[in-house]
Amino acid sequence: MIKVQRVGVNLSVALPRTLRAVSVATSKLPLKVAALYARPALVDEIKHRLAKDPTGALARSVQTRFLVNESSPSMSVAVAGSKLIYAEIQDQGGEILPKRRYLAVPVKLPRSLRGKWPRDWPSDALQLIRSRRGNLLLVEMQKRPRTPSGGKRRRRAQRQRFIVRYVLRERVRLRGVRYVSAALDRMRAPAAQYAQRELQAIIDREARR
């Protein structure tokens, strides 16, 4: 039976040991078919399970590729997965440390701002403040239209307010969403069966020549 298994954050499809004599050309199509079968399962699980405010970048990055082992065709594999550096930590969890002093953690950004980081804003758009609890916040200042009623202090408060866009942290711990294991559970059996049928059909055609 075609083997579908997890390798890191990729889903790998390989031939069983009993088919070591099969050529690379013969094995390539069935394995790629199984990997293509795996890709939608990964994409669906990423979209369903990914943590707060997903931008869709991880789901879009999932691709399939065929890794050829010319000296031992049975060791050739097709894989489906992402090459993004944060694919593993989103799946398995872990601690993220800043390159400099702080990490900017988005706070319920609207869809139009997802994937936007402090460096992407105009230089005067965000201000650094400290909350009453001592948290460092990057806030966007917004002006409101003036109203004729009320005293001077009240009018000033009405003219300007801020929206918290990021919280600054010295480290962040993410919980893994286990999207690879979930995708594997969904597609292991049907992908293996589909690839097995494709492979057997190719072998039968070659035998009849």
Side-chain angles (χ1 to χ4, degrees):
M1 177 66 75
I2 298 288
K3 294 189 299 183
V4 182
Q5 58 190 354
R6 173 183 180 146
V7 179
V9 290
N10 295 311
L11 294 180
S12 172
V13 188
L15 295 176
R17 293 181 180 180
T18 55
L19 294 175
R20 287 184 177 178
V22 174
S23 67
V24 171
T26 301
S27 65
K28 184 174 182 178
L29 178 60
L31 295 185
K32 288 187 70 174
V33 165
L36 287 171
Y37 203 100
R39 183 180 179 275
L42 278 172
V43 171
D44 289 346
E45 291 298 337
I46 289 171
K47 290 180 177 179
H48 176 67
R49 295 170 175 265
L50 197 57
K52 301 175 182 177
D53 293 339
T55 63
L58 182 56
R60 291 194 302 272
S61 72
V62 176
Q63 300 295 331
T64 61
R65 55 195 186 276
F66 186 68
L67 307 179
V68 178
N69 188 327
E70 297 286 356
S71 61
S72 180
S74 66
M75 299 299 292
S76 299
V77 297
V79 297
S82 171
K83 292 184 178 180
L84 292 181
I85 58 175
Y86 58 84
E88 182 176 0
I89 200 167
Q90 287 284 9
D91 177 63
Q92 300 177 21
E95 189 173 70
I96 303 175
L97 299 174
K99 291 182 179 179
R100 296 182 181 177
R101 189 172 180 184
Y102 294 108
L103 293 166
V105 181
V107 179
K108 294 182 179 179
L109 293 180
R111 184 176 295 275
S112 60
L113 296 178
R114 291 179 182 179
K116 188 173 184 179
W117 300 101
R119 63 176 177 271
D120 301 322
W121 293 72
S123 58
D124 59 347
L126 299 175
Q127 294 187 22
L128 179 65
I129 66 172
R130 188 179 293 273
S131 71
R132 293 179 180 178
R133 295 184 178 182
N135 295 318
L136 291 175
L137 310 174
L138 286 176
V139 301
E140 180 186 8
M141 306 304 297
Q142 294 192 338
K143 291 184 178 181
R144 290 179 171 178
R146 297 186 180 186
T147 56
S149 60
K152 181 177 180 181
R153 184 176 300 175
R154 182 178 176 182
R155 290 199 300 271
R156 185 181 303 163
Q158 288 176 333
R159 286 198 300 270
Q160 194 172 51
R161 70 187 182 100
F162 65 82
I163 301 176
V164 178
R165 295 303 191 191
Y166 305 91
V167 179
L168 300 186
R169 302 289 191 195
E170 293 183 351
R171 61 187 63 202
V172 173
R173 176 164 289 279
L174 290 181
R175 290 183 60 185
V177 296
R178 307 295 179 185
Y179 66 86
V180 178
S181 296
L184 180 61
D185 290 341
R186 282 179 53 185
M187 55 70 60
R188 173 187 274 151
Q193 292 170 4
Y194 193 84
Q196 190 74 33
R197 288 198 300 268
E198 289 289 325
L199 178 60
Q200 190 60 52
I202 293 172
I203 293 174
D204 291 344
R205 285 199 298 269
E206 292 184 349
R208 288 193 296 267
R209 290 179 181 176

